[in-house]
Amino acid sequence: FALGTRLVLQGPDPFQRQVGRQVLDAYGRFHRAEFEAFFNRGLVLGLLQRGYGELSNRDPAILDYIQAGLRLIMSCPSVLELFELLQVEALRLVCERPAPPLCARLCQLLGDFPQCLPRGRKLSLAFCQQLVRSIAHFQSQGTREAELRLYVSQVTQVSALLRSVWKAEPDTLLPSLQELFAVISAADTSFEPSVALASLVQHIPLQMITVLIRSLTTDPNVKDASMTQALCRMIDWLSWPLAQHVETWVIALLKGLAAVQKFTILIDVTLLKIELVFNRLWFPLVRPGALAVLSHMLLSFQHSPEAFHLIVPHVVSLVHSFKRDGLPSSTAFLMQLTELIHCMMYHYSGFPELYEPILEAIKDMPKPTEEKIKLILSQSAWTSQSSSLPSCLSRLSGKSETGKTGLINLGNTCYMNSVIQALFMATDFRRHVLSLNLNGCNSLMRKLQHLFAFLAHTQREAYAPRIFFEASRPPWFTPRSQQDCSEYLRFLLDRLHEEERTLKALSSAKSSESIMTDESQAQEAVHKPQVFTEAPCMGSEERTLIEKMFGGKLKTNICCLNCKSRSQKEEAFTDLSLAFCPPTSLENVDSKCMEHSEVKDDYMVQSNTLATSPAAETPLNNLEVNRGCGTIMNEGTIEDFSSEPSSENGTISELKVENNGDMSQSLVGKNTLSVTDLLNYFLAPEILSGDNKYYCEKCASLQNAEKTMQIIEEPEYLILTLLRFSYDPKCHIRRKILDNVSLPLVLELPVKRATSPLAVVSGGWSVGVEISDTGENLAKKLKPSGADEVTCPQLVPYVLSSVVVHSGVSSESGHYYSYARNVTGSGPSGLCHQSTALSLVSPQDKLFTEESPCTVVENELDTEMPREWFLFNDSRVTFTSFQSVQKITSRFPKDTAYVLFYKKQNSTCGFNTNPANGLWVNGDPPLQKDLMDAITKDNKLYLQEQELSARTQALQAASASCSFRPNGFDDNDPPGSCGPTGGGGGGGFSTVGRLVF
């Protein structure tokens, strides 16, 4: 036995060591008692503590010899004594941090003889923890592939032993993992834990992930620096070739930190490690895990383009490498990578110089749809990770699931918030505003662009529009008191229109001066983008953006019923104010209500008529046509219609309804009015008689006359205001008409376009009309020479884009909120509704029947696109449906539709919504750099605020629990109210009252 032992442990060559093993094996098997006496406790202890001759006790050969000996005496009683000895020695050995070969050999021995594993909870726990620390000290000795393979197999053996211990004694798992975390979160710079620790991750049951991550992220003893260190090291583990589930744990930890708003750690780790993770994509063995982590890091880092731009320079070479590979796996990864890149370029547009090489490299790869990109981004944001804490933390998270941003009520400013959201959701208008180049210009349009940019890109749930409010509030509006939203909208559009005209006049004056002074300067002026130039294209030359988007034209004809002479007048409008049809017949209206009316011809032009410039002589008046008893909105200027003889063969407008009496009767029979009825009433011919007779110049006396109105140029967005606030002359107050009005999803507007070449020049008055011209002169100049122009009535389809609702009983009190949806130029796709849609002015009786064909279409359209309607209620934005919009007044009688936005279908107003470069966000144009920087800065600030408040709340969470009602839409309460007094929901969630909806 002594000879055999010497040959095994000190044999100079493999042959002699082999002979030694055979001698021991043969003699031991046939002389078991003698071998038992020889292979005793003293021999084994001596070998493990002192070695054998020149052989160190840390040589794996010692363990080989002991394992062979144990096999021979397995059936002998003395083996139990050796097992006890080895339990102690194994623990001692592990505490001495053995090198990978020795540790692997020990684990192999312990795996074959589990009886040698330390017994008892305390010892087995210590063994597991020390083994984890030993792995942390592992370092690979060589760099050649064979050496690396050997090293990986040794580490695998060690981690396999740990797994079997955890399985046999589950109590040891959690403390082992705590030890693992302690190792990787240590701030000691002199010691870098081995990446081999990654081999342990695959043995942690995935069902523990939630519990572990929650306890880690919410443990107040874990400092930020430790968490950052641990996360960085876990990301380094992605380099370990055989590690499974590392990416799952890394992503879970990232999400866990986002859920408790520890954004500082996430920002630091992402910026530190994003390039390393990207570089791992070059290695096929670790590519799947690296891509998963890279995707999560990039998609969740949505407040700033910084992380994405760190890897942008390396994308092209990686893509080319994948293409050269030609392997199916490489192609699959390339598809995933291109989808990720598209999402990021979509989210951070505006860097064509950075992205063009990438777009060129991935041009032949499939591109995800805009819907898919939006979905991916909304699911990945840090602020969309729900908090696992049982407190109100989750209520603090960022944007609602809709992905839309609310507007904070600054004290009865819901009238502004509802209008701004409706304008923001007017997609073409928003895109034009965002594409304007307004650098160095402190205009109201610049402030609107700033507000729109924040609504589109902020991470905040709700944005406070203080600067815009101060700049856009009409001077006569008292701060902190409720106002009329339609008056505000009109004032805002007028201001924007006037401002743009002034700026255009200034810039054209400047450019003409520079051309006269110097040739070179002139060339420079051409290259410099002018104020208010649009990036993709300008529509018609001299019209302002407000005219292009909201401007239409009305023509009023008055025909003397005695001599048949006519006078005509054209007005530009940005919105139509629709009065309610009186319940009595129209004849009665004409004779009786005129007494209350203070306006001649019962026709009012709003006092804030836009001034006209010589460049584009286009007065944009806001027409308020009131025919009901005393439904007068604001004081207006009275404009006279001069009479002028006209060719007698002119036909009276085809808009005429066959019989006034019939119309009023059918309206009385119908309990719910529709917008179509109000429009018909607006455009219906009116007989001027009795006290309201018309002075005809040809007859030189007061005569009965017929007045008709026609829309001759339709706007891109049709704004309709329902005149719900009528003046009560007895009580001297404005009362609210609470009648329910049904809103068609598709509206057809009758437009009579002039076809004659002699017709009025598009874009303004006839040539040669001066501002000073009034009365007779104007009428003469406006009248076309020769026969009356031919008119061709045409039904232009519009789809409902947004609805501003007023909740309350008077215009001075109550609350505004709006419903809106995404409507682009082409309108809802794949539906042919023109044929069945409700024709606006039609002689048939079907117009007034209870069941209109339009309702069928609406249902169809609504089922087409679920979750396309949003309810904007100050800082809250929720999904809703068209049914909710339609039923609002029947459910809450004080909540009535007030201002409606309709979008003209099948038109994109000359705006290229899908440019070739594909670098638009949400289909919106890229932002200017200063805007992008402001948003990025604010997003960082927001994440810091969230983190601070989350930490504060986490400290309070133990002592007090929050009880908010769920943030749903409660059927029993109206969607909200500012109330006639007070500031109504000033600061988002600071007032619990606002949450109880």
Side-chain angles (χ1 to χ4, degrees):
F1 290 141
L3 172 67
T5 302
R6 193 169 69 250
L7 283 173
V8 169
L9 294 176
Q10 291 186 318
D13 54 55
F15 172 71
Q16 292 194 31
R17 291 197 289 274
Q18 173 81 23
V19 170
R21 276 194 292 271
Q22 288 172 345
V23 169
L24 262 184
D25 193 49
Y27 279 80
R29 194 168 297 171
F30 292 102
H31 305 275
R32 196 145 289 177
E34 288 84 347
F35 184 72
E36 191 181 352
F38 172 80
F39 191 74
N40 59 18
R41 181 189 169 90
L43 173 77
V44 174
L45 193 60
L47 287 172
L48 287 171
Q49 291 191 349
R50 294 184 297 279
Y52 185 85
E54 291 167 14
L55 193 68
S56 155
N57 64 332
R58 296 179 74 89
D59 195 300
I62 301 265
L63 293 176
D64 277 340
Y65 174 78
I66 291 173
Q67 185 165 354
L70 285 175
R71 279 206 193 95
L72 289 170
I73 61 164
M74 260 310 277
S75 52
C76 307
S78 65
V79 78
L80 297 174
E81 190 188 7
L82 292 180
F83 285 160
E84 277 177 31
L85 168 72
L86 284 166
Q87 284 171 15
V88 179
E89 286 301 303
L91 184 56
R92 180 188 62 76
L93 203 56
V94 169
C95 291
E96 289 174 1
R97 307 280 170 264
L102 179 62
C103 197
R105 193 64 200 79
L106 175 67
C107 290
Q108 195 184 333
L109 173 86
L110 297 174
D112 288 350
F113 295 98
Q115 302 92 328
C116 301
L117 279 165
R119 291 270 172 260
R121 187 170 188 280
K122 236 182 175 174
L123 288 176
S124 60
L125 195 56
F127 176 76
C128 288
Q129 289 175 321
Q130 291 304 326
L131 197 51
V132 168
R133 288 213 169 257
S134 293
I135 298 175
H137 283 78
F138 283 2
Q139 295 301 333
S140 169
Q141 300 309 310
T143 51
R144 293 206 302 278
E145 190 177 340
E147 294 167 322
L148 290 173
R149 281 181 185 279
L150 181 65
Y151 172 61
V152 169
S153 69
Q154 288 164 350
V155 173
T156 310
Q157 267 183 322
V158 179
S159 65
L161 178 75
L162 258 176
R163 183 186 61 176
S164 59
V165 176
W166 289 342
K167 253 188 169 162
E169 298 184 51
D171 285 357
T172 58
L173 176 56
L174 206 56
S176 304
L177 296 180
Q178 284 166 337
E179 192 67 23
L180 174 62
F181 186 76
V183 170
I184 61 173
S185 61
D188 179 12
T189 48
S190 61
F191 169 66
E192 186 58 39
S194 168
V195 180
L197 286 168
S199 61
L200 297 179
V201 174
Q202 59 194 323
H203 303 314
I204 309 169
L206 284 175
Q207 54 268 38
M208 290 184 67
I209 211 159
T210 326
V211 185
L212 284 174
I213 298 292
R214 187 185 303 163
S215 64
L216 262 184
T217 52
T218 56
D219 184 349
N221 300 318
V222 178
K223 298 287 174 280
D224 282 8
S226 309
M227 184 61 86
T228 306
Q229 190 69 273
L231 193 48
C232 284
R233 285 170 175 157
M234 282 175 74
I235 289 168
D236 292 342
W237 292 351
L238 289 168
S239 322
W240 187 254
L242 298 178
Q244 294 172 332
H245 308 314
V246 171
E247 69 280 5
T248 314
W249 283 90
V250 169
I251 292 169
L253 189 51
L254 291 169
K255 285 183 174 177
L257 288 168
V260 292
Q261 272 108 27
K262 293 190 175 172
F263 301 122
T264 311
I265 301 175
L266 291 168
I267 292 170
D268 292 349
V269 169
T270 306
L271 295 177
L272 269 172
K273 291 292 175 183
I274 194 92
E275 289 174 282
L276 178 134
V277 175
F278 185 81
N279 287 335
R280 293 288 161 268
L281 296 178
W282 288 93
F283 307 103
L285 210 54
V286 295
R287 193 177 286 157
L291 186 60
V293 173
L294 180 77
S295 297
H296 180 79
M297 286 174 117
L298 284 179
L299 291 168
S300 61
F301 197 90
Q302 290 186 13
H303 65 283
S304 143
E306 200 176 346
F308 178 50
H309 288 177
L310 284 173
I311 66 154
V312 161
H314 316 299
V315 170
V316 176
S317 53
L318 184 71
V319 168
H320 288 322
S321 145
F322 278 177
K323 283 184 174 172
R324 279 196 302 274
D325 265 10
L327 301 170
S329 62
S330 296
T331 313
F333 278 118
L334 185 55
M335 303 262 287
Q336 288 171 273
L337 183 67
T338 49
E339 184 171 286
L340 172 65
I341 299 295
H342 275 302
C343 286
M344 297 319 295
M345 292 192 299
Y346 176 93
H347 190 63
Y348 294 116
S349 58
F351 301 93
E353 72 288 0
L354 290 177
Y355 300 162
E356 267 160 11
I358 299 178
L359 278 168
E360 183 57 33
I362 59 174
K363 63 172 187 271
D364 43 1
M365 300 303 293
K367 185 182 174 184
T369 62
E370 192 175 323
E371 282 65 37
K372 186 174 182 183
I373 291 177
K374 281 182 184 170
L375 182 70
I376 292 171
L377 287 167
S378 67
Q379 288 171 343
S380 311
W382 285 335
T383 43
S384 68
Q385 307 306 326
S386 63
S387 169
S388 47
L389 292 185
S391 69
C392 51
L393 277 188
S394 52
R395 184 54 257 149
L396 274 168
S397 66
K399 290 192 186 185
S400 68
E401 54 172 349
T402 58
K404 301 286 178 202
T405 308
L407 284 168
I408 291 171
N409 191 315
L410 306 172
N412 277 324
T413 56
C414 55
Y415 66 88
M416 172 186 78
N417 290 353
S418 55
V419 162
I420 293 299
Q421 294 285 20
L423 288 172
F424 178 78
M425 293 297 284
T427 312
D428 290 342
F429 177 62
R430 176 182 74 242
R431 289 175 178 172
H432 274 82
V433 170
L434 289 174
S435 71
L436 293 170
N437 181 5
L438 302 172
N439 286 341
C441 164
N442 191 26
S443 60
L444 183 61
M445 184 62 90
R446 170 70 173 165
K447 293 181 174 75
L448 181 67
Q449 186 185 51
H450 188 272
L451 177 53
F452 277 7
F454 267 83
L455 283 176
H457 298 276
T458 183
Q459 299 241 304
R460 293 181 185 274
E461 178 164 40
Y463 179 71
R466 287 190 180 82
I467 295 169
F468 187 78
F469 173 64
E470 290 308 321
S472 68
R473 178 172 60 83
W476 60 92
F477 276 18
T478 318
R480 305 194 75 78
S481 64
Q482 187 58 282
Q483 304 292 346
D484 184 335
C485 79
S486 106
E487 194 179 347
Y488 173 77
L489 172 62
R490 222 172 263 141
F491 176 79
L492 176 63
L493 295 181
D494 285 4
R495 275 276 308 276
L496 292 169
H497 166 75
E498 285 307 321
E499 187 184 79
E500 185 180 347
R501 279 243 303 261
T502 312
L503 282 169
K504 275 185 176 169
L506 284 172
S507 68
S508 62
K510 272 184 191 167
S511 59
S512 61
E513 276 173 35
S514 66
I515 286 165
M516 286 163 73
T517 51
D518 191 351
E519 191 90 10
S520 64
Q521 284 180 353
Q523 285 211 311
E524 215 176 290
V526 172
H527 291 302
K528 273 188 188 167
Q530 280 194 342
V531 180
F532 266 101
T533 53
E534 285 171 18
C537 62
M538 276 293 267
S540 56
E541 317 68 51
E542 290 303 329
R543 296 171 73 200
T544 65
L545 178 57
I546 300 302
E547 286 175 301
K548 285 182 214 164
M549 288 290 140
F550 305 104
K553 278 202 194 151
L554 263 181
K555 182 163 84 175
T556 309
N557 281 298
I558 297 184
C559 175
C560 171
L561 293 179
N562 183 38
C563 67
K564 300 286 184 258
S565 65
R566 283 198 189 181
S567 88
Q568 292 182 351
K569 180 165 185 190
E570 286 185 13
E571 308 270 1
F573 67 88
T574 50
D575 72 317
L576 297 178
S577 297
L578 307 181
F580 280 72
C581 326
T584 54
S585 72
L586 292 178
E587 284 85 357
N588 295 346
V589 174
D590 293 340
S591 54
K592 291 177 185 167
C593 288
M594 295 309 155
E595 297 160 27
H596 301 297
S597 183
E598 301 161 25
V599 181
K600 186 182 175 207
D601 294 340
D602 195 33
Y603 176 61
M604 295 174 56
V605 178
Q606 192 51 27
S607 50
N608 51 328
T609 299
L610 298 176
T612 331
S613 78
E617 299 178 334
T618 328
L620 251 91
N621 302 338
N622 300 289
L623 301 181
E624 293 201 344
V625 180
N626 298 305
R627 315 218 179 142
C629 303
T631 46
I632 290 169
M633 276 285 273
N634 308 336
E635 303 73 40
T637 54
I638 301 162
E639 295 218 5
D640 204 354
F641 281 98
S642 319
S643 57
E644 181 63 28
S646 173
S647 54
E648 305 227 347
N649 58 355
T651 55
I652 286 181
S653 158
E654 290 164 37
L655 285 167
K656 191 173 178 181
V657 176
E658 301 307 310
N659 178 322
N660 285 344
D662 289 355
M663 177 173 176
S664 53
Q665 247 82 68
S666 52
L667 288 180
V668 173
K670 186 179 179 182
N671 37 15
T672 305
L673 287 167
S674 78
V675 173
T676 313
D677 297 333
L678 300 187
L679 253 170
N680 281 334
Y681 181 60
F682 176 90
L683 295 169
E686 180 188 354
I687 302 297
L688 308 177
S689 58
D691 291 350
N692 202 33
K693 278 186 179 174
Y694 160 72
Y695 181 80
C696 171
E697 291 202 350
K698 196 171 180 186
C699 305
S701 61
L702 290 170
Q703 294 290 343
N704 289 347
E706 182 184 59
K707 183 172 88 176
T708 54
M709 279 197 280
Q710 302 165 358
I711 295 166
I712 56 167
E713 208 173 281
E714 75 279 14
E716 207 48 58
Y717 283 94
L718 175 67
I719 303 178
L720 302 174
T721 305
L722 310 186
L723 294 180
R724 289 195 172 274
F725 301 112
S726 61
Y727 181 70
D728 184 339
K730 288 177 188 162
C731 313
H732 300 291
I733 55 166
R734 290 170 78 197
R735 292 192 187 284
K736 181 173 175 183
I737 301 168
L738 293 168
D739 296 7
N740 191 3
V741 175
S742 74
L743 312 174
L745 197 56
V746 179
L747 185 71
E748 295 201 325
L749 190 69
V751 179
K752 291 222 165 185
R753 295 198 183 89
T755 50
S756 144
L758 299 163
V760 177
V761 182
S762 81
W765 299 84
S766 294
V767 185
V769 175
E770 288 168 29
I771 296 308
S772 56
D773 281 344
T774 48
E776 205 173 329
N777 288 343
L778 189 61
K780 279 178 185 157
K781 285 188 180 174
L782 278 178
K783 189 185 82 65
S785 53
D788 215 25
E789 72 266 35
V790 188
T791 52
C792 46
Q794 188 183 348
L795 290 176
V796 179
Y798 279 81
V799 282
L800 187 60
S801 159
S802 46
V803 180
V804 178
V805 174
H806 177 260
S807 170
V809 289
S810 88
S811 62
E812 286 77 30
S813 67
H815 176 58
Y816 289 102
Y817 54 93
S818 50
Y819 290 98
R821 64 168 176 164
N822 290 316
V823 178
T824 46
S826 52
S829 54
L831 276 166
C832 183
H833 40 253
Q834 272 95 327
S835 51
T836 50
L838 184 52
S839 162
L840 228 151
V841 175
S842 124
Q844 289 107 314
D845 283 352
K846 71 163 188 183
L847 214 135
F848 306 111
T849 53
E850 218 42 64
E851 273 300 314
S852 76
C854 209
T855 48
V856 182
V857 179
E858 284 158 13
N859 295 343
E860 264 180 40
L861 280 175
D862 207 42
T863 49
E864 273 298 292
M865 285 166 279
R867 294 168 90 87
E868 66 161 354
W869 280 92
F870 304 96
L871 167 59
F872 294 92
N873 196 338
D874 286 341
S875 40
R876 291 180 66 241
V877 188
T878 48
F879 282 117
T880 186
S881 65
F882 183 58
Q883 274 73 27
S884 304
V885 184
Q886 284 178 311
K887 292 175 185 164
I888 190 77
T889 307
S890 54
R891 281 164 63 209
F892 310 111
K894 289 182 191 170
D895 293 32
T896 50
Y898 183 37
V899 179
L900 314 174
F901 284 70
Y902 277 91
K903 167 79 181 83
K904 187 161 91 174
Q905 265 192 287
N906 307 321
S907 89
T908 53
C909 29
F911 203 66
N912 187 1
T913 48
N914 196 8
N917 64 7
L919 299 179
W920 285 29
V921 183
N922 312 334
D924 286 354
L927 297 182
Q928 259 93 39
K929 186 180 181 302
D930 57 335
L931 264 183
M932 198 74 224
D933 291 349
I935 292 167
T936 300
K937 188 177 169 188
D938 183 69
N939 281 341
K940 276 187 184 164
L941 179 68
Y942 166 68
L943 292 174
Q944 286 161 4
E945 289 166 11
Q946 289 288 79
E947 183 166 359
L948 188 65
S949 64
R951 284 166 193 255
T952 316
Q953 295 227 10
L955 295 173
Q956 297 164 352
S959 53
S961 64
C962 300
S963 57
F964 285 139
R965 271 175 65 183
N967 185 18
F969 184 76
D970 193 338
D971 272 8
N972 307 320
D973 302 324
S977 98
C978 279
T981 56
F989 293 103
S990 56
T991 46
V992 178
R994 297 284 296 156
L995 277 177
V996 190
F997 289 123

